[in-house]
Amino acid sequence: MAVVQSSYSERITGPLAFGVIDNMNMAKVDSLVSEDTDDIPFGRAVGQGTADKGCTLTAATATVFRGVSVRDIAKDGGDEDEYKRYENVAVMYQGDIWVEADGIVAAGNNVTFETTTGKFGTVAADGTQLLVVGARWLTSAASGAAALLRLTGQ
């Protein structure tokens, strides 16, 4: 009998969109409510809002970083690739998730996020680029490309 498939890759394809959970190995996700007047795109850093279960994109700081906005498959197929104000937002705080690289990133590097856009990169931490404690890049990527981010829940 002929061999149909003799090897298997870790991933059949790369991510089709930002905010996609790579695997459920360590995945932990909260459900929060968007308090932003602006939309929260999938795969972006979100911070604690004013309400206990609230979240915002623009108020994300190192001390109130809640996690990464997860893609909502109920919104796929249209032009909506973000959460609107008062919508429930799935926020991953532990696990592996695909995000848009803000600049060139390399596997193993530390992770920072930009406080106004919520995009992730490896730029040195400063007033607008904040370190995500316990996070690291699992894949390398060019600016604007999809990169796999691991959050350890710290």
Side-chain angles (χ1 to χ4, degrees):
M1 177 181 247
V3 175
V4 176
Q5 185 171 356
S6 61
S7 65
Y8 300 88
S9 62
E10 183 179 352
R11 294 176 185 85
I12 294 173
T13 64
L16 302 176
F18 302 128
V20 173
I21 296 174
D22 184 61
N23 60 63
M24 298 306 289
N25 199 20
M26 309 179 310
K28 292 186 180 178
V29 179
D30 271 338
S31 181
L32 304 175
V33 176
S34 173
E35 296 178 354
D36 270 343
T37 54
D38 295 325
D39 300 336
I40 298 177
F42 299 146
R44 299 287 178 92
V46 296
Q48 178 66 49
T50 41
D52 291 349
K53 295 292 267 177
C55 68
T56 71
L57 176 71
T58 54
T61 67
T63 55
V64 295
F65 173 77
R66 291 296 303 262
V68 181
S69 58
V70 176
R71 179 169 215 76
D72 183 345
I73 60 170
K75 293 177 175 264
D76 283 351
D79 291 333
E80 282 192 74
D81 59 351
E82 66 255 339
Y83 293 101
K84 306 286 185 203
R85 188 174 195 186
Y86 304 124
E87 285 186 330
N88 287 329
V89 180
V91 178
M92 175 178 269
Y93 62 94
Q94 181 176 321
D96 302 342
I97 188 165
W98 290 95
V99 298
E100 179 182 1
D102 189 20
I104 298 169
V105 300
N109 281 1
N110 288 334
V111 178
T112 58
F113 69 91
E114 208 282 327
T115 57
T116 57
T117 65
K119 289 185 177 182
F120 295 94
T122 57
V123 176
D126 63 16
T128 60
Q129 291 285 339
L130 302 177
L131 181 68
V132 181
V133 177
R136 68 183 167 106
W137 293 107
L138 294 182
T139 61
S140 301
S143 183
L148 188 56
L149 171 65
R150 171 164 288 168
L151 300 168
T152 60
Q154 293 183 346

